[in-house]
Amino acid sequence: MRYISTRARSDGTADSSNRTFSEILLGGLASDGGLYLPETYPHIGKSELAQWRTLSYADLAGAVLARFIDDIPSDDLQALIHRTYTAAIYCNGRDRSAASEITPLRWLEPPAREGGEGGLAILELSNGPTLAFKDMAMQLLGNLFEYVLANRGEEINILGATSGDTGSSAEYAMRGKRGVRVFMLSPHQRMSAFQRAQMYSLQEANIYNIAVRGMFDDAQDIVKAVSNDHAFKARYRIGAVNSINWARVAAQVVYYFKGYFAATGGVGGNDEQQVAFAVPSGNFGNICAGHIARMMGLPIGRLVLATNENDVLDEFFRSGVYRPRATSETAATSSPSMDISKASNFERFVFDLVGRDPELIRRLWSKVEAGGSFDLSSHPCFARLPDFGFVSGRSTHADRLATIRRTHDRYGLMIDPHTADGLKVGNEWRTPEMPMVVLETALPAKFEETIVEALGCKPERPTAMQGIEELPQRVEVMDVSVQQVQRFIAQHVP
């Protein structure tokens, strides 16, 4: 398996193609500013689907990821995966009678007929150490980093940006890892108190938190600017854990397969049945993994993209216009992890949509990076959009509160505001011929203020998270400045 950049040049002026998995794992963003994807997607046939249906989560992850990773010895890769996906790690926040499943499926409305047809379900993805779905990939990423760096005798300085959950998930996965330092940028005072405490209370010497006076997009722009400063990146060995890192996306592909099998009858189920997945989306990484799973042959009938008030992606899927907003136009909402208007992973999907034309991608993103937009509504590729299964919708604060209340009253289930966005939009696209599976984003304990507003009561917390806001916190507050961040990194790297 070799990897190519979405912006690769045929003249070789930017050598960003024909890379191995380990090379792009450590490199993050391609040298030409593009994102890495496999040269071709592996195809999974019906016979393999039937065999994979019986596998545990760890074994399924091993089967899926082996298709993307061929430069790590098979025994070593399987050992890393089985060390990652254990009930002991994914045992937070809920009754652990289903812990061995790692990602249990909860039916809100069971299928009306045998074979998995119809129905509404939530795929629980938030039982990891930080109570967010990001743990599903980040825990593996931490183990992969440590393994590859040890084999190479190297170190890496991870620079990332978070709108809420990526930061804590990355820091919990990387804390104490040999050869790894983490510099995590977050928007100052734009996350929930719980999210801030999860990150800033960590005391490990290899973890550094930087709060920038701006929005997530400002933090993400700094990460990209530093990654595109090739001299600085090489000198300080800068890597990435944001979903610009292909390994994050690849690891998330796994739970689409697991969710599909659970929704279509488990062992002995129907591999002809299509399933719809509703995905709350800000940076497009999670739903991009669903797109990859579908391209691999998983029978996903529909990918439902749900945004909050920051509806740049919904606008594109409805109109063909991709128009990122300025910081001043990006709303601070009650689903803060989706307060994003420049979706990094969207470039990966558009690359596939336009027939993998890197020259066109370079032209389109040169407009975006100059503060502009692009319009594909008259391009032939936009007429093919239905072939990729995407639909979209938007959810507001009032919608979130109403969905949280209705879900609690009707099903006895408390959900977080991001999952509420996904459930609201998913319900709008339900059809009787296929189950609708909503991907859970986080546990409600992370968003106590909104839950209290919706339900008048506080969500339960895992014992380990009690009183987390009272712990001492370590964070540097800075202006939105690439140079300040670079200076901070240089001061803390030997």
Side-chain angles (χ1 to χ4, degrees):
M1 173 65 73
R2 289 295 181 267
Y3 292 87
I4 60 174
S5 168
T6 53
R7 305 186 195 182
R9 295 181 180 273
S10 58
D11 60 8
T13 54
D15 183 16
S16 57
S17 292
N18 198 34
R19 298 291 188 179
T20 67
F21 175 84
S22 294
E23 287 173 332
I24 67 168
L25 171 74
L26 298 180
L29 198 67
S31 59
D32 55 26
L35 302 178
Y36 284 109
L37 279 172
E39 283 184 317
T40 59
Y41 296 122
H43 182 74
I44 309 304
K46 291 181 180 179
S47 62
E48 289 172 296
L49 280 178
Q51 294 169 8
W52 287 8
R53 183 177 282 278
T54 65
L55 299 179
S56 68
Y57 193 90
D59 288 335
L60 179 61
V64 172
L65 292 171
R67 301 304 180 95
F68 296 112
I69 306 172
D70 60 6
D71 63 334
I72 295 177
S74 178
D75 288 348
D76 290 356
L77 177 62
Q78 298 304 318
L80 288 170
I81 290 170
H82 279 79
R83 193 168 83 218
T84 300
Y85 296 112
T86 69
I89 292 174
Y90 294 92
C91 62
N92 285 296
R94 277 188 278 244
D95 172 23
R96 289 295 84 214
S97 60
S100 62
E101 294 184 52
I102 307 297
T103 57
L105 188 80
R106 179 193 290 260
W107 286 108
L108 303 183
E109 297 178 14
R113 301 181 298 278
E114 292 183 1
E117 296 179 4
L120 176 66
I122 287 180
L123 187 64
E124 294 184 4
L125 301 176
S126 304
N127 295 318
T130 71
L131 317 185
F133 82 95
K134 305 291 180 74
D135 293 324
M136 295 302 303
M138 205 68 78
Q139 286 291 310
L140 178 63
L141 203 62
N143 289 330
L144 285 168
F145 270 126
E146 189 172 48
Y147 172 88
V148 172
L149 290 168
N151 281 352
R152 294 184 171 207
E154 297 177 3
E155 294 185 350
I156 196 168
N157 297 299
I158 300 231
L159 178 63
T162 183
S163 56
D165 292 328
T166 293
S168 57
S169 180
E171 292 179 356
Y172 274 64
M174 304 294 169
R175 60 180 180 171
K177 294 291 187 198
R178 292 167 294 179
V180 180
R181 297 179 195 85
V182 177
F183 296 87
M184 188 59 62
L185 278 60
S186 58
H188 184 46
Q189 296 182 338
R190 295 286 188 177
M191 302 184 297
S192 74
F194 188 100
Q195 288 175 312
R196 293 195 299 270
Q198 273 192 313
M199 292 173 56
Y200 303 163
S201 66
L202 291 180
Q203 302 299 316
E204 278 76 8
N206 70 326
I207 302 297
Y208 300 92
N209 282 296
I210 302 170
V212 297
R213 297 183 179 96
M215 300 294 290
F216 166 77
D217 291 319
D218 298 308
Q220 184 167 253
D221 286 346
I222 291 173
V223 171
K224 289 184 176 181
V226 173
S227 294
N228 282 319
D229 183 338
H230 301 305
F232 186 91
K233 182 178 181 180
R235 179 178 179 182
Y236 291 100
R237 304 176 301 280
I238 302 297
V241 291
N242 277 61
S243 52
I244 60 174
N245 191 313
W246 165 253
R248 280 272 309 277
V249 178
Q252 291 176 173
V253 169
V254 179
Y255 51 68
Y256 282 89
F257 280 88
K258 194 65 176 179
Y260 173 84
F261 295 143
T264 55
V267 176
N270 178 9
D271 291 324
E272 301 290 337
Q273 172 68 50
Q274 290 192 327
V275 172
F277 288 91
V279 189
S281 191
N283 219 15
F284 206 80
N286 200 3
I287 201 164
C288 186
H291 163 66
I292 305 301
R294 191 175 185 273
M295 297 293 283
M296 292 172 69
L298 189 66
I300 297 176
R302 185 169 285 160
L303 287 164
V304 182
L305 180 144
T307 72
N308 62 13
E309 291 89 337
N310 298 298
D311 56 357
V312 172
L313 292 171
D314 179 43
E315 181 179 58
F316 173 82
F317 284 103
R318 292 181 182 275
S319 70
V321 176
Y322 181 59
R323 186 177 62 89
R325 314 294 195 259
T327 297
S328 60
E329 298 178 274
T330 303
T333 77
S334 54
S335 49
S337 299
M338 293 158 58
D339 290 348
I340 298 170
S341 76
K342 298 175 185 175
S344 287
N345 277 280
F346 189 54
E347 182 173 336
R348 284 187 165 112
F349 170 68
V350 176
F351 182 64
D352 285 341
L353 179 65
V354 301
R356 297 197 147 205
D357 181 346
E359 182 179 351
L360 178 54
I361 292 297
R362 290 196 300 273
R363 291 203 305 269
L364 296 177
W365 257 264
S366 68
K367 296 178 182 179
V368 171
E369 290 166 355
S373 61
F374 61 77
D375 183 355
L376 292 179
S377 60
S378 59
H379 191 282
C381 73
F382 196 67
R384 300 194 299 270
L385 187 61
D387 297 340
F388 291 88
F390 277 92
V391 294
S392 67
R394 179 179 185 270
S395 177
T396 67
H397 179 67
D399 294 325
R400 282 187 283 284
L401 296 182
T403 302
I404 291 169
R405 292 187 192 109
R406 183 167 56 251
T407 304
H408 189 260
D409 293 344
R410 184 175 299 177
Y411 308 117
L413 176 66
M414 190 180 291
I415 59 173
D416 86 286
H418 307 78
T419 305
D421 288 332
L423 185 56
K424 183 263 184 181
V425 177
N427 260 317
E428 293 172 349
W429 286 101
R430 283 182 69 187
T431 55
E433 70 271 12
M434 67 179 79
M436 176 65 70
V437 177
V438 179
L439 298 195
E440 180 187 70
T441 301
L443 291 193
K446 301 193 77 165
F447 304 96
E448 187 173 280
E449 299 91 340
T450 302
I451 300 303
V452 169
E453 183 180 357
L455 301 177
C457 62
K458 293 183 179 182
E460 292 185 12
R461 290 189 179 189
T463 303
M465 301 294 181
Q466 297 289 346
I468 191 172
E469 293 92 340
E470 307 307 317
L471 295 175
Q473 297 186 7
R474 298 166 55 234
V475 61
E476 295 286 331
V477 181
M478 298 182 188
D479 293 330
V480 178
S481 167
V482 175
Q483 291 73 29
Q484 283 190 42
V485 171
Q486 287 179 318
R487 280 198 297 272
F488 184 85
I489 293 171
Q491 291 167 1
H492 292 87
V493 173

